Amino acid sequence: MNAVTDQLAPPILEVEDLRTHFFTRDGVVRAVNGVSFSLRPGETLGIVGESGCGKSVTALSILRLIPRDLGRVVGGSIRFEGRELTGLDEQEMRGLRGHRISMIFQEPMTSLNPVLTIGLQIAENVQRHLGLSKKAAWDRAVEMLSLVKIADPHRRVHEYPHQLSGGMRQRVMIAMALSCDPQILIADEPTTALDVTIQAQILDLMLELKEKLGTAIIMITHDLGVVAETCQQVIVMYAGRKVEEAPVEELFDRPMHPYTRGLMAAVPRLDGRLEGGVRPRLQEIPGIVPSLTAPLPGCPFEPRCAFSTEQCARHMPPLERRGAAHDAACFEVDRVLEKSLV
Amino acid sequence: MSAASIALEPAAGRASSGLWSEIRRNPTIFLGCAILLVLAACAILAPWIAADPLKHAPVNRLKAPSAEFWFGTDQFGRDIYSRIVYGARVSLIVGLSVAAISSVLGLTIGLLCGFYRWFDGIVMRIMDGIMAIPSILLAIALITLVHPSLTVVIIAIIIPEVPRIVRLVRSVVLSIREQPYIDGAVAGGTKAPRLLVRHVLPNAVAPLIVQATYVCASAIITEAGLSFLGAGVPPEIPSWGNIIAQGRVFFQLTPWVILIPGVFLALTVLAVNMLGDGLRDRLDPRLARRM
């Protein structure tokens, strides 16, 4: 499975102790609070967690796309190909965005400018970053459209976004993001707005292109199914922190953090056991994500956790190595592991 | 490849005939355009289809409409038909130039206001200030400061119109800049000026064109109003406002001197507004529902 992942190659992206805070009237929101991870060339890294856990902010922080009047990266380091990104000026960042590091967003319906043809939107990107002529950029746009398997690219390239279906638009977004051969593609919930059959097509397409182009992918999602299908390494985030990290098989075999277990139990299953002809109630994680303005002294998941102890409420569990390449931030890992998965 | 080029041709053919079929299908646009085209033709062809609008002929004073003088004559014996034909020039020039210039100015300022917050803070206060003064009063004040001429009238009407366009464009920009595709363009490494021109500006064009037609109509009325008050184009230039102003004294005796230019004024403004309404329904359905 990890044929293209070179485990020995140095990581192309290293994020260390990233802290992104938003400054609101109600106080400082610690949206990302000390997250570290690294990404190797050609690897697919999944970042999972529920809404508001800081996954998207982590991605936006890498490209420095946090609106400056709202918040900023206050600490930590982001190294891309050994180069520190936090110190770069705005012009150098612009050179990276869409060129070396690309991003695709959740909403294919609104992520394309409705008044410009899709060809123009792709060509613009290529012209700017690769310095191609207008003609060459246009040819590149057609080439990218056929790469993402849009039929009849010569005609489609002249069309406007409203003439395309949701799945096609997401293909266009992918074409645009990959048009400059980026090293890293950040996909922020790329399939959430699509229906299930289209989701599978888009994921297959992304994986296929990854193999072909050798692009590393950061897959941000709340959908564990997407993670299982696409990723090699997985990070689980909760309340701005990384609570667990493991290779994908290991994570699904032996989830160590109660939150990861909760996420897994909350996935609806078609093969769920029938008890007296009634499907068991879908497991939910009780409670809501805690406030990020006034963090508790202990584990942020403690109020919602079935395994919590007094220690959990008082002290923050450190992220520790608990197995082969498996990190988790929980005091009660042993007890969690004893309980079998449903 | 060959299939693609074959498929391309009918599409291209449709696009070129699109404007004309659109005009024919939409009766308000069609009627508005037709009236304006006839008026514009009259204005352009004035020297060939009308007599000298300034020629005094005391013998023919205050004549009723007849075969010789279609719309009658005024108290100096001047042919009202000829004066109205030449007056169409003034009205159309004022309407078009005010609409064009204030659109360009309003668009530029509005784009910058919507995009740069510090600029917005300063400029919008100035715009609010201008909007607080009634536009006719502002125009009269400006015109009394300088020697009256057509250019001065145009400038005097543009100044109070600009803030309205700035507001419109600014509001469009403020909503467009929150759209995900703008974030997408930023994430693609687009610079701010290019973002503004390439991604934001095209979205503002449709509402701007619609607003420009309303500005055009209101400019024609304002010019007539200013001329009527004696603060508009100099009296020696035949404009509809001037004709009405000069015919006012003899209204009971020769009402056509006022009524006929009044009808033309109303017809012109109606045509421009019809064009504007038609364009609004066509270009910006959301705006149409909101209004």
Side-chain angles (χ1 to χ4, degrees):
Chain A
M1 177 161 182
N2 314 4
V4 283
T5 313
D6 191 346
Q7 292 294 342
L8 299 174
I12 43 169
L13 182 74
E14 287 173 280
V15 173
E16 227 172 278
D17 196 29
L18 179 70
R19 289 168 195 275
T20 304
H21 293 181
F22 289 93
F23 304 94
T24 68
R25 218 173 296 169
D26 303 326
V28 178
V29 176
R30 296 166 177 82
V32 177
N33 203 356
V35 168
S36 308
F37 61 88
S38 65
L39 181 70
R40 289 175 196 287
E43 183 182 37
T44 304
L45 173 76
I47 303 184
V48 281
E50 66 200 292
S51 308
C53 72
K55 342 182 264 289
S56 294
V57 176
T58 304
L60 293 173
S61 302
I62 294 170
L63 281 173
R64 205 191 294 163
L65 290 173
I66 307 285
R68 241 170 302 171
D69 46 341
L70 299 181
R72 61 189 153 82
V73 175
V74 294
S77 91
I78 302 164
R79 276 189 307 279
F80 172 64
E81 294 182 321
R83 189 152 64 127
E84 180 61 48
L85 295 191
T86 48
L88 292 189
D89 64 25
E90 189 50 33
Q91 199 189 336
E92 290 171 299
M93 281 308 292
R94 265 203 306 272
L96 286 177
R97 290 179 198 140
H99 182 195
R100 317 302 301 280
I101 307 177
S102 277
M103 188 157 178
I104 51 180
F105 294 93
Q106 178 175 351
E107 280 291 334
M109 309 311 268
T110 50
S111 295
L112 290 166
N113 195 329
V115 298
L116 303 178
T117 61
I118 56 172
L120 201 142
Q121 295 186 57
I122 301 175
E124 187 189 24
N125 210 15
V126 192
Q127 248 176 302
R128 180 173 51 244
H129 289 303
L130 304 183
L132 294 184
S133 70
K134 217 168 184 172
K135 174 80 177 60
W138 199 260
D139 290 343
R140 176 79 176 154
V142 174
E143 183 194 333
M144 289 312 297
L145 288 185
S146 65
L147 192 67
V148 296
K149 298 187 178 145
I150 286 183
D152 204 356
H154 289 276
R155 187 168 58 86
R156 290 289 185 184
V157 79
H158 296 285
E159 293 193 338
Y160 289 89
H162 71 267
Q163 293 169 286
L164 307 178
S165 67
M168 292 242 262
R169 286 187 220 185
Q170 197 60 295
R171 283 169 195 267
V172 172
M173 293 300 299
I174 294 171
M176 203 185 294
L178 294 179
S179 59
C180 296
D181 277 329
Q183 266 71 19
I184 301 175
L185 174 66
I186 301 177
D188 189 357
E189 306 258 9
T191 58
T192 305
L194 304 173
D195 64 51
V196 184
T197 48
I198 307 294
Q199 268 189 24
Q201 288 176 16
I202 294 290
L203 290 178
D204 285 346
L205 176 71
M206 287 181 68
L207 289 185
E208 191 187 320
L209 292 178
K210 188 196 89 157
E211 302 279 326
K212 206 181 267 182
L213 306 173
T215 314
I217 298 179
I218 299 180
M219 180 74 76
I220 295 170
T221 180
H222 62 261
D223 187 340
L224 285 170
V226 171
V227 170
E229 275 177 60
T230 59
C231 300
Q232 284 133 31
Q233 186 78 5
V234 188
I235 290 174
V236 180
M237 280 187 71
Y238 186 77
R241 290 171 193 278
K242 181 166 91 172
V243 294
E244 186 161 5
E245 175 171 4
V248 68
E249 296 90 349
E250 166 74 11
L251 186 86
F252 279 91
D253 284 348
R254 285 182 0 123
M256 289 180 179
H257 199 281
Y259 178 63
T260 312
R261 293 214 159 198
L263 283 180
M264 288 178 182
V267 174
R269 296 173 62 129
L270 288 177
D271 60 347
R273 288 163 302 169
L274 296 174
E275 285 163 17
V278 193
R279 234 175 248 290
R281 193 187 146 87
L282 197 59
Q283 288 295 304
E284 65 190 43
I285 304 177
I288 51 162
V289 180
S291 156
L292 297 173
T293 43
L296 305 163
C299 172
F301 190 59
E302 183 269 332
R304 303 171 72 184
C305 183
F307 298 90
S308 67
T309 61
E310 273 200 24
Q311 186 191 17
C312 298
R314 277 200 305 269
H315 303 288
M316 174 70 86
L319 190 74
E320 284 171 342
R321 176 76 23 132
R322 297 298 187 138
H326 196 151
D327 299 341
C330 182
F331 293 124
E332 303 298 327
V333 168
D334 299 334
R335 267 174 62 212
V336 175
L337 282 176
E338 270 167 32
K339 196 168 174 250
S340 71
L341 279 168
V342 263
Chain B
M1 180 65 208
S2 64
S5 52
I6 290 165
L8 253 174
E9 264 143 345
R14 269 202 309 279
S16 61
S17 68
L19 184 66
W20 176 234
S21 70
E22 193 62 54
I23 287 174
R24 266 189 319 182
R25 231 181 311 138
N26 192 326
T28 38
I29 297 185
F30 179 73
L31 204 55
C33 277
I35 296 173
L36 287 176
L37 282 177
V38 170
L39 279 170
C42 288
I44 292 165
L45 299 174
W48 293 280
I49 60 168
D52 181 0
L54 302 176
K55 198 177 126 210
H56 289 218
V59 184
N60 298 327
R61 275 183 303 176
L62 302 175
K63 284 266 163 67
S66 65
E68 194 188 354
F69 305 105
W70 291 0
F71 297 158
T73 59
D74 67 5
Q75 68 266 38
F76 304 110
R78 294 178 297 195
D79 180 22
I80 299 296
Y81 164 72
S82 303
R83 289 177 71 72
I84 284 177
V85 169
Y86 275 91
R89 290 186 160 186
V90 175
S91 288
L92 292 181
I93 288 174
V94 168
L96 290 180
S97 52
V98 168
I101 298 170
S102 52
S103 296
V104 171
L105 284 177
L107 180 65
T108 315
I109 301 174
L111 279 177
L112 295 174
C113 278
F115 218 73
Y116 297 105
R117 306 305 301 169
W118 59 270
F119 188 74
D120 187 47
I122 303 165
V123 172
M124 284 319 285
R125 296 299 80 74
I126 298 171
M127 295 295 149
D128 289 346
I130 295 176
M131 284 184 94
I133 308 169
S135 57
I136 287 247
L137 282 185
L138 186 62
I140 290 174
L142 288 168
I143 284 160
T144 48
L145 290 176
V146 284
H147 189 70
S149 72
L150 190 56
T151 320
V152 173
V153 171
I154 290 173
I155 295 172
I157 302 174
I158 286 174
I159 291 174
E161 292 290 355
V162 166
R164 293 205 238 166
I165 297 194
V166 169
R167 283 204 164 184
L168 172 84
V169 174
R170 172 178 175 268
S171 71
V172 172
V173 175
L174 286 180
S175 70
I176 295 296
R177 62 179 286 169
E178 300 303 325
Q179 294 294 318
Y181 55 81
I182 296 299
D183 295 337
V186 173
T190 310
K191 281 185 202 168
R194 189 173 180 81
L195 201 64
L196 206 54
V197 174
R198 202 61 183 272
H199 292 266
V200 178
L201 175 69
N203 285 288
V205 168
L208 181 68
I209 289 175
V210 174
Q211 182 72 20
T213 60
Y214 298 135
V215 167
C216 176
S218 117
I220 290 172
I221 291 190
T222 310
E223 182 275 324
L226 286 173
S227 295
F228 181 77
L229 294 172
V233 292
E236 66 269 19
I237 298 176
S239 90
W240 295 344
N242 279 342
I243 303 172
I244 295 174
Q246 287 158 11
R248 195 187 62 214
V249 193
F250 295 94
F251 180 62
Q252 280 170 311
L253 227 54
T254 57
W256 55 84
V257 178
I258 287 183
L259 290 181
I260 296 173
V263 167
F264 272 87
L265 186 62
L267 199 64
T268 310
V269 172
L270 179 70
V272 175
N273 278 333
M274 279 166 74
L275 179 63
D277 283 349
L279 287 175
R280 183 197 62 198
D281 294 347
R282 181 68 195 88
L283 293 175
D284 200 347
R286 277 169 305 146
L287 193 72
R289 255 180 273 127
R290 210 162 52 221
M291 287 177 98

